[in-house]
Amino acid sequence: MLDDTLRPAPPRRGGWAAPAALVSVTLAAIAGFLFLMTVTGGLLRWSPLPPGSPADTSGRVSLPVEVGAPGIWTPDATAHPIPAAAVLISGNTWYADDSTFYGGLVGAGADDYRVLDNEGAAGMASVLSPDGRRLASGDGILDIADGRRTPYPRAWTDLQIAAQAWSPDGTRLVVTSRPVDDEPYAAPESLALLATGTGAITELEGSSPGLDGWTAAFSPDGARLAYPAGGRIRILTLASGAVTEIPMPDGAMLAGKGGWTRDGRGLLVVAGERCDTCGDYPISWTVTTLSASTGAVAGPQYRLDGIYAVRVLGWWPSGRPVAVAYAPAPGATATLFDDPGTRADLSGLTTVGTVRVLELTPGSDHAELAAAATESIDVADNVLAAGTLRDGRRPLTSVDRLATGVAWFVGLTAAAALLTGAYAAAQRASRRRLLSDGLPGSVV
């Protein structure tokens, strides 16, 4: 019988070298695929899906404290309507194929996000109706609850329309119009009043009345309309057609669609000035209360430093105005209303980073109501009137979150591929040394 000490050792298996090499190659291929898809936008384009849960229909309205960019699978607003919206948002960085001509809606009572084709930045050229059930933009008027869009009158067929403000009862809409495909504000624009039920148009001002977003405000009772004209503020009494005017301070604009005080006796205007002590962005803005009858300063002033622009939306139940504060995008040029070469940027998206919704306090200490990781926002009037906040839930599949997740995955996958590849190479080298030296326990 053969002595056990002389029995040949069983042949050694390949160990982990081959599996490790396979894992390394697989992980490297996955990392390369994800990187390529991210760079080319294959993973980051809007690809709408049906909603995972029904929209909230309870009738509650509230302002989400946190608003995010829509996810890439956010349902289409026209195919999957919601009863009403609390918030309208715009941005140019939502998807890899650009999102400048998209709008995002957030539900009135729950964080039901929807996306739709929409011409015009939120609050600047597209606005929610007071009850949050309609959206006016350059594309017409959308019924948010059923997804149907009504076109504007034929008289505006060849014009670029920017919606500015709704009357409190939702029966009138103020718009600006200008020639299509013209450079922004290069040609005179007109300001007009549309009766949404009949389609009747009333021309208000035809000589470049202002800057989109700061052009018109209805009084709280809907009886009067204020708008800039010829360096002054014109106040139209809708029932009689009577017009009065008050002076507009130099370099100022009407503060926005929420520019009347709650008692209807005053108007808010906003003006900026250069500021050497305002940090990274050297502009300070002041919202001033004027008498609607004389134009004299007749109330509080509100100062906001180091922001790109400010626009008043309406009033919180506390009796204080609610405004949107726009943070400048990196490298944005500091500009004011009276800077002719750059002021049009104040109504755009590329110069804005993020926005905040603030409850203004006289002076400069303001309370943040909501923050949005996008470039422009509008809030329905009934949401402001309710004065209720909710936490808000940002979509998990936004481009920023997906890109960050892909970057981490690619990085970890690449590291794992390198480690497993190095381990496989070390195993292979070890086996070669053993073979060259002779396997232990074998008969020589």
mmCIF file with all atom_site columns, all heavy atoms in Angstrom, residues 125 157 195 361 371 420 423:
data_model
loop_
_atom_site.group_PDB
_atom_site.id
_atom_site.type_symbol
_atom_site.label_atom_id
_atom_site.label_alt_id
_atom_site.label_comp_id
_atom_site.label_asym_id
_atom_site.label_entity_id
_atom_site.label_seq_id
_atom_site.pdbx_PDB_ins_code
_atom_site.Cartn_x
_atom_site.Cartn_y
_atom_site.Cartn_z
_atom_site.occupancy
_atom_site.B_iso_or_equiv
_atom_site.pdbx_formal_charge
_atom_site.auth_seq_id
_atom_site.auth_comp_id
_atom_site.auth_asym_id
_atom_site.auth_atom_id
_atom_site.pdbx_PDB_model_num
ATOM 1  N N   . ALA A 1 125 ? -44.133 84.847 -16.620 1.00 0.00 ? 125 ALA A N   1
ATOM 2  C CA  . ALA A 1 125 ? -44.900 84.799 -17.861 1.00 0.00 ? 125 ALA A CA  1
ATOM 3  C C   . ALA A 1 125 ? -45.963 83.716 -17.846 1.00 0.00 ? 125 ALA A C   1
ATOM 4  O O   . ALA A 1 125 ? -46.639 83.509 -18.843 1.00 0.00 ? 125 ALA A O   1
ATOM 5  C CB  . ALA A 1 125 ? -43.965 84.594 -19.044 1.00 0.00 ? 125 ALA A CB  1
ATOM 6  N N   . THR A 1 157 ? -52.761 85.405 -32.309 1.00 0.00 ? 157 THR A N   1
ATOM 7  C CA  . THR A 1 157 ? -52.158 84.216 -32.917 1.00 0.00 ? 157 THR A CA  1
ATOM 8  C C   . THR A 1 157 ? -50.683 84.420 -33.244 1.00 0.00 ? 157 THR A C   1
ATOM 9  O O   . THR A 1 157 ? -49.860 83.522 -33.040 1.00 0.00 ? 157 THR A O   1
ATOM 10 C CB  . THR A 1 157 ? -52.916 83.830 -34.196 1.00 0.00 ? 157 THR A CB  1
ATOM 11 O OG1 . THR A 1 157 ? -54.270 83.535 -33.855 1.00 0.00 ? 157 THR A OG1 1
ATOM 12 C CG2 . THR A 1 157 ? -52.268 82.619 -34.867 1.00 0.00 ? 157 THR A CG2 1
ATOM 13 N N   . ALA A 1 195 ? -60.946 89.163 -20.932 1.00 0.00 ? 195 ALA A N   1
ATOM 14 C CA  . ALA A 1 195 ? -62.089 88.576 -20.240 1.00 0.00 ? 195 ALA A CA  1
ATOM 15 C C   . ALA A 1 195 ? -62.099 87.088 -20.580 1.00 0.00 ? 195 ALA A C   1
ATOM 16 O O   . ALA A 1 195 ? -62.367 86.707 -21.727 1.00 0.00 ? 195 ALA A O   1
ATOM 17 C CB  . ALA A 1 195 ? -63.385 89.244 -20.675 1.00 0.00 ? 195 ALA A CB  1
ATOM 18 N N   . THR A 1 361 ? -40.924 91.228 6.716   1.00 0.00 ? 361 THR A N   1
ATOM 19 C CA  . THR A 1 361 ? -41.066 91.990 7.946   1.00 0.00 ? 361 THR A CA  1
ATOM 20 C C   . THR A 1 361 ? -40.424 93.348 7.728   1.00 0.00 ? 361 THR A C   1
ATOM 21 O O   . THR A 1 361 ? -39.354 93.413 7.103   1.00 0.00 ? 361 THR A O   1
ATOM 22 C CB  . THR A 1 361 ? -40.370 91.268 9.118   1.00 0.00 ? 361 THR A CB  1
ATOM 23 O OG1 . THR A 1 361 ? -40.938 89.968 9.268   1.00 0.00 ? 361 THR A OG1 1
ATOM 24 C CG2 . THR A 1 361 ? -40.533 92.044 10.417  1.00 0.00 ? 361 THR A CG2 1
ATOM 25 N N   . ALA A 1 371 ? -38.762 76.966 0.463   1.00 0.00 ? 371 ALA A N   1
ATOM 26 C CA  . ALA A 1 371 ? -37.557 77.037 -0.362  1.00 0.00 ? 371 ALA A CA  1
ATOM 27 C C   . ALA A 1 371 ? -37.735 76.078 -1.533  1.00 0.00 ? 371 ALA A C   1
ATOM 28 O O   . ALA A 1 371 ? -38.258 74.976 -1.370  1.00 0.00 ? 371 ALA A O   1
ATOM 29 C CB  . ALA A 1 371 ? -36.317 76.657 0.438   1.00 0.00 ? 371 ALA A CB  1
ATOM 30 N N   . THR A 1 420 ? -11.031 44.246 -6.957  1.00 0.00 ? 420 THR A N   1
ATOM 31 C CA  . THR A 1 420 ? -11.156 42.842 -7.359  1.00 0.00 ? 420 THR A CA  1
ATOM 32 C C   . THR A 1 420 ? -10.165 42.490 -8.456  1.00 0.00 ? 420 THR A C   1
ATOM 33 O O   . THR A 1 420 ? -9.625  41.374 -8.502  1.00 0.00 ? 420 THR A O   1
ATOM 34 C CB  . THR A 1 420 ? -12.589 42.555 -7.847  1.00 0.00 ? 420 THR A CB  1
ATOM 35 O OG1 . THR A 1 420 ? -12.937 43.494 -8.875  1.00 0.00 ? 420 THR A OG1 1
ATOM 36 C CG2 . THR A 1 420 ? -13.593 42.662 -6.718  1.00 0.00 ? 420 THR A CG2 1
ATOM 37 N N   . TYR A 1 423 ? -6.910  42.012 -6.756  1.00 0.00 ? 423 TYR A N   1
ATOM 38 C CA  . TYR A 1 423 ? -6.894  40.745 -6.035  1.00 0.00 ? 423 TYR A CA  1
ATOM 39 C C   . TYR A 1 423 ? -6.714  39.575 -7.004  1.00 0.00 ? 423 TYR A C   1
ATOM 40 O O   . TYR A 1 423 ? -5.961  38.626 -6.744  1.00 0.00 ? 423 TYR A O   1
ATOM 41 C CB  . TYR A 1 423 ? -8.191  40.582 -5.245  1.00 0.00 ? 423 TYR A CB  1
ATOM 42 C CG  . TYR A 1 423 ? -8.278  39.285 -4.488  1.00 0.00 ? 423 TYR A CG  1
ATOM 43 C CD1 . TYR A 1 423 ? -7.542  39.093 -3.325  1.00 0.00 ? 423 TYR A CD1 1
ATOM 44 C CD2 . TYR A 1 423 ? -9.096  38.246 -4.940  1.00 0.00 ? 423 TYR A CD2 1
ATOM 45 C CE1 . TYR A 1 423 ? -7.618  37.902 -2.623  1.00 0.00 ? 423 TYR A CE1 1
ATOM 46 C CE2 . TYR A 1 423 ? -9.172  37.049 -4.257  1.00 0.00 ? 423 TYR A CE2 1
ATOM 47 C CZ  . TYR A 1 423 ? -8.431  36.882 -3.091  1.00 0.00 ? 423 TYR A CZ  1
ATOM 48 O OH  . TYR A 1 423 ? -8.501  35.706 -2.399  1.00 0.00 ? 423 TYR A OH  1
#
